[in-house]
Amino acid sequence: MAKQLFHYVRTLWYLYATFFSAIIIGIVNKCFSGFKSDVILILGAICLHILPTDIFWISFAFEFILVGYFVRKYEDFIKRFLSTSRIKNIILFMITVLYLLLLILFKYDYSVYVSGSNLLTNNPIWHQIFVNAFRFLMGIFGTVAVYNFLNFCYKHLVQHCIGDKIVSSLEKIGIISLEMYVTQWVVVEIIFAYVMQHVLTNFSEFIVNNSYVCYFFWRNIIGAMMTLITYMGCKFLKTTTLGKYIY
């Protein structure tokens, strides 16, 4: 049970990777200022890829978190650069085309789960540098392309097709979606496995043996129930003294 729980917790690697990345950025900003801190952070992101191992996948997450940090830091400069809609649309179009091209060229071997995130692997060094750079550009371009596509759909389609209350509810769920996912990923998988093995198995073997019924029906039913429960749970935790302190 402990081993299984550790496996589920480890799948949330991006949480502690984000935590440690924030600490690194904070320490650098405390010790250095201005352009010097930016150079050190960029060099640090490169150096993290030279580590012999990346158990916590910090080096994989750090570079993406760093981009988000720079976007927030130089937000005013970016807005001035994209002040005209024509320049903004051209850049977004180019990014979307590049993302689709990278998506088409992406191979299974490029996955971080297969090739790893550091440069010291069994692959030739230049091949690993290419793979890491490929993944990084694909992640950045994909984030911008997908975000702007969804933002366009939301502004021009969703708000005109459904009521304000539904939009407001979707926004609230989206705000705490990470909290729900973290809770659900650990809880739902354990509960789903228990229900399938100890409850539904005794009720009918057909439910367990038929993959369509098992995963496309019962898994979604249990998942929907747990989504509602975790939503209400997260909302309640924020009202407690400890919850207020944490959030």
Side-chain angles (χ1 to χ4, degrees):
M1 180 67 180
K3 186 177 180 180
Q4 186 180 24
L5 183 61
F6 175 77
H7 168 72
Y8 290 131
V9 173
R10 191 185 168 109
T11 58
L12 304 174
W13 60 269
Y14 54 87
L15 288 180
Y16 45 77
T18 302
F19 177 72
F20 286 116
S21 297
I23 290 178
I24 294 172
I25 294 174
I27 292 175
V28 172
N29 280 324
K30 281 289 184 180
C31 299
F32 304 94
S33 60
F35 184 71
K36 186 184 294 184
S37 66
D38 295 345
V39 174
I40 292 174
L41 286 172
I42 294 173
L43 292 176
I46 297 173
C47 291
L48 282 174
H49 283 278
I50 306 177
L51 293 175
T53 182
D54 188 16
I55 299 175
F56 301 106
W57 287 347
I58 296 175
S59 63
F60 177 71
F62 185 75
E63 56 191 13
F64 293 102
I65 295 170
L66 194 59
V67 171
Y69 164 76
F70 284 144
V71 169
R72 178 62 63 87
K73 183 176 181 179
Y74 296 104
E75 184 177 4
D76 293 336
F77 171 79
I78 295 173
K79 286 183 178 179
R80 288 197 300 269
F81 179 73
L82 301 176
S83 57
T84 61
S85 58
R86 182 178 180 182
I87 295 176
K88 182 178 179 180
N89 292 334
I90 291 175
I91 292 177
L92 289 177
F93 175 78
M94 292 175 61
I95 288 177
T96 303
V97 171
L98 287 172
Y99 169 63
L100 293 175
L101 180 62
L102 292 174
L103 193 63
I104 293 172
L105 297 176
F106 183 81
K107 297 180 181 179
Y108 175 74
D109 294 339
Y110 295 169
S111 170
V112 66
Y113 299 103
V114 177
S115 61
S117 60
N118 55 308
L119 299 178
L120 303 179
T121 64
N122 295 327
N123 296 323
I125 183 67
W126 290 112
H127 173 77
Q128 193 64 38
I129 291 175
F130 167 78
V131 170
N132 287 17
F134 187 100
R135 282 198 307 248
F136 174 72
L137 291 176
M138 184 176 176
I140 297 301
F141 291 162
T143 299
V144 175
V146 173
Y147 170 79
N148 281 280
F149 173 75
L150 294 177
N151 191 42
F152 173 82
C153 292
Y154 182 81
K155 285 184 175 180
H156 295 85
L157 299 176
V158 176
Q159 288 184 321
H160 296 291
C161 297
I162 59 180
D164 293 335
K165 289 186 177 181
I166 297 178
V167 171
S168 178
S169 299
L170 291 174
E171 289 175 344
K172 289 179 180 178
I173 293 175
I175 291 172
I176 66 168
S177 60
L178 180 59
E179 303 161 25
M180 293 165 56
Y181 177 77
V182 171
T183 308
Q184 187 173 334
W185 181 257
V186 178
V187 177
V188 169
E189 294 299 320
I190 298 174
I191 293 179
F192 176 72
Y194 179 85
V195 171
M196 295 304 299
Q197 294 172 9
H198 299 89
V199 179
L200 298 181
T201 302
N202 298 329
F203 179 74
S204 174
E205 287 288 339
F206 173 77
I207 295 176
V208 180
N209 294 331
N210 190 295
S211 60
Y212 292 99
V213 177
C214 177
Y215 290 99
F216 290 100
F217 179 73
W218 285 110
R219 188 184 184 90
N220 290 328
I221 290 294
I222 295 174
M225 291 173 57
M226 292 309 304
T227 297
L228 178 62
I229 292 173
T230 51
Y231 172 75
M232 296 172 64
C234 291
K235 191 174 181 180
F236 169 75
L237 288 174
K238 285 188 174 183
T239 64
T240 64
T241 303
L242 179 61
K244 289 179 181 178
Y245 176 77
I246 293 173
Y247 288 110

